Amino acid sequence: MTSAPKTFHIKSFGCQMNVYDGERMAELLSDTGLAPAGRGEDADLVVLNTCHIREKASEKAYSDVGRLRRDDGSRPMIALAGCVAQAEGAEAQVRSKMIDIVVGPQAYHRLPELVAEASRGRRPIDTGLPGLAKFGAFPGRRRAAPSAFLTVQEGCDKFCTYCVVPYTRGAEISRPWGDVIAEAHALVDGGAREIVLLGQNVNAWRDGNRGLADLIAKLSHIDGLERIRYTTSHPADMTDALIAAHGEIDKLMPYLHLPVQSGSDRILRAMNRSHSTDSYVRTIEQVRAARPDIAISGDFIVGFPGETEEDFLATLEIVDEVQYAAAYSFKYSARPGTPAAAMDAQVEPEIMDDRLRRLHDRIAKHQLAFNRSSVGKDTRVLIERKGRQLGQMIGRSPWMQSVHLETSAAPGDMIDLTLVSAGPNSMSGAARAAKAA
Ligand code: SAM
Ligand code: SF4
């Protein structure tokens, strides 16, 4: 593959930060004159923006590379980006001869140069971790979805014993105050009505003595910006100011994603989580005191090494205690190079399957109860996209629920409605007539 590509396609996997990175790579490549291709099959350059968090996600990257070979034996130029690229480096090109470029999550601002090198027949690799350099290299934001992501913090210093993020994304860094505000303005000018502030530990964001609560307060004054969210937070970084912000800033939505991972203190210590179940539950109580209707969501890992049935029952207990409005649960996946991968007492896959199923069921019960408790509420949704049926649109409630409704409204509109029915994963709404002034 030696000719310079004219079209590109980016496929992002994994977390919202990868979605954000994918958007920025697309802007960068468009600015250098490449045109977006709707499908990978048609593109001259395919960027696979990968996830390394669990083994399955990581292996998927390689099977996707293989699938890019066309029936006539030709293939596009292939760039392996994201966390698998960072973790595997040169090894990726040994595993697959089809990978032309390897570029880590902190180096993708160099993608145009790397593409030029690959067009000259080289196989360039950049897995440097230069911190904030990439943000300064991007073109300005021009178009944005009604709900737009904005990365404000990257990396992690927490070193949970199961997690690859501190190795693939590097040390915790925060983007400067002024840069974030400028990008938020550009997103709103480009059509965003909601901004979701992103970071692996977004609530660790700092600039001097200003923290995330100050940033949210400042952003809330942007005209045309209706809603602010932030994710993902670490329990140890939930400051009093951020908790108070939930009661004080109307544009800050009543939703908090606060992963606990396990309900067993013994397991939390082995995970190096730096919080206990008690401190976690106390934080949730404080958040609820500030904003009583807040929807709480979380992440859980089942089958961490040494997890007993008793530990797992403690996880079910904390699910009952917190009554999550939503939550994500994962089977523990041993990641090369992490301390947990070398721990004794790895849990059998069948036991993990069983625990995952029981945890799903318990979370689903609370999610449905939360959705049912919302029926009858008058609220506003942000219309995000078309639904499956003619005339149907899908919006997002303040509590992050998907809401289906019949309306002639378009993506980006805010619609007043009543929530009329609840399912396990979504709600239905009926639009209310706008009140005369
Ligand atoms: N920083 C966030 C926090 O501390 O909760 C989470 C970021 S991580 C990208 C997203 C989720 O992936 C974690 O909350 C955890 O539940 C899950 N995860 C991370 N490493 C994992 C592993 N080795 N096996 C299974 N799940 C894992
Ligand atoms: Fe991974 Fe823990 Fe950092 Fe979250 S806090 S990114 S789970 S190391």
Side-chain angles (χ1 to χ4, degrees), residues 353-371:
D353 287 339
D354 176 61
R355 289 182 187 162
L356 187 69
R357 190 186 46 72
R358 287 153 70 200
L359 181 57
H360 269 163
D361 289 351
R362 193 65 64 98
I363 290 167
K365 185 185 107 180
H366 289 292
Q367 186 167 324
L368 182 60
F370 182 85
N371 287 347

Side-chain angles (χ1 to χ4, degrees), residues 99-398:
I99 297 172
D100 300 293
I101 299 168
V102 177
V103 58
Q106 308 295 19
Y108 66 75
H109 55 294
R110 294 200 52 240
L111 198 51
E113 287 165 65
L114 302 174
V115 168
E117 275 187 51
S119 305
R120 293 194 294 273
R122 304 213 182 100
R123 300 179 82 206
I125 297 174
D126 192 342
T127 52
L129 287 171
L132 294 170
K134 70 177 177 193
F135 291 105
F138 295 139
R141 316 277 335 225
R142 288 185 289 264
R143 270 189 327 140
S147 175
F149 293 139
L150 201 179
T151 293
V152 300
Q153 182 277 336
E154 284 222 40
C156 182
D157 297 338
K158 303 280 192 292
F159 289 93
C160 299
T161 53
Y162 50 81
C163 184
V164 288
V165 169
Y167 313 99
T168 56
R169 291 265 174 177
E172 259 174 30
I173 44 167
S174 295
R175 290 181 66 193
W177 172 265
D179 289 8
V180 173
I181 292 163
E183 190 170 330
H185 274 285
L187 288 170
V188 173
D189 291 346
R193 291 289 159 266
E194 171 176 288
I195 288 183
V196 185
L197 304 174
L198 297 182
Q200 259 92 24
N201 278 311
V202 71
N203 56 347
W205 181 90
R206 294 217 68 76
D207 186 352
N209 55 10
R210 291 184 282 214
L212 192 66
D214 303 300
L215 184 63
I216 292 170
K218 177 74 181 174
L219 297 179
S220 70
H221 295 297
I222 297 179
D223 284 339
L225 178 62
E226 305 278 346
R227 296 171 155 196
I228 302 168
R229 303 182 188 272
Y230 61 96
T231 196
T232 293
S233 295
H234 191 284
D237 291 320
M238 279 311 290
T239 61
D240 290 345
L242 187 54
I243 293 172
H246 278 282
E248 292 163 358
I249 301 175
D250 288 344
K251 289 185 182 178
L252 180 58
M253 290 294 99
Y255 177 86
L256 174 64
H257 183 65
L258 196 65
V260 65
Q261 314 298 355
S262 169
S264 155
D265 284 314
R266 200 178 68 81
I267 295 295
L268 289 180
R269 277 194 298 277
M271 288 176 162
N272 190 32
R273 279 294 291 178
S274 69
H275 61 81
S276 63
T277 51
D278 258 8
S279 67
Y280 177 86
V281 169
R282 259 200 322 275
T283 302
I284 299 287
E285 283 166 2
Q286 286 165 356
V287 175
R288 283 194 165 132
R291 181 77 205 228
D293 67 335
I294 198 159
I296 303 291
S297 88
D299 288 346
F300 292 90
I301 296 177
V302 298
F304 183 82
E307 184 190 73
T308 61
E309 175 66 12
E310 198 184 342
D311 293 317
F312 174 68
L313 290 176
T315 295
L316 293 183
E317 258 173 48
I318 204 165
V319 171
D320 287 343
E321 186 165 0
V322 173
Q323 302 190 11
Y324 289 91
Y328 304 88
S329 38
F330 310 102
K331 281 189 275 186
Y332 166 73
S333 171
R335 308 308 293 127
T338 58
M343 287 180 187
D344 292 335
Q346 299 281 327
V347 175
E348 294 297 319
E350 307 77 61
I351 295 184
M352 281 206 227
D353 287 339
D354 176 61
R355 289 182 187 162
L356 187 69
R357 190 186 46 72
R358 287 153 70 200
L359 181 57
H360 269 163
D361 289 351
R362 193 65 64 98
I363 290 167
K365 185 185 107 180
H366 289 292
Q367 186 167 324
L368 182 60
F370 182 85
N371 287 347
R372 284 188 173 146
S373 74
S374 305
V375 173
K377 278 187 183 168
D378 290 341
T379 189
R380 296 195 95 185
V381 297
L382 170 60
I383 302 293
E384 290 188 352
R385 60 196 158 88
K386 280 189 178 155
R388 282 219 195 103
Q389 277 139 40
L390 195 68
Q392 188 189 53
M393 298 297 283
I394 300 178
R396 190 73 64 185
S397 80

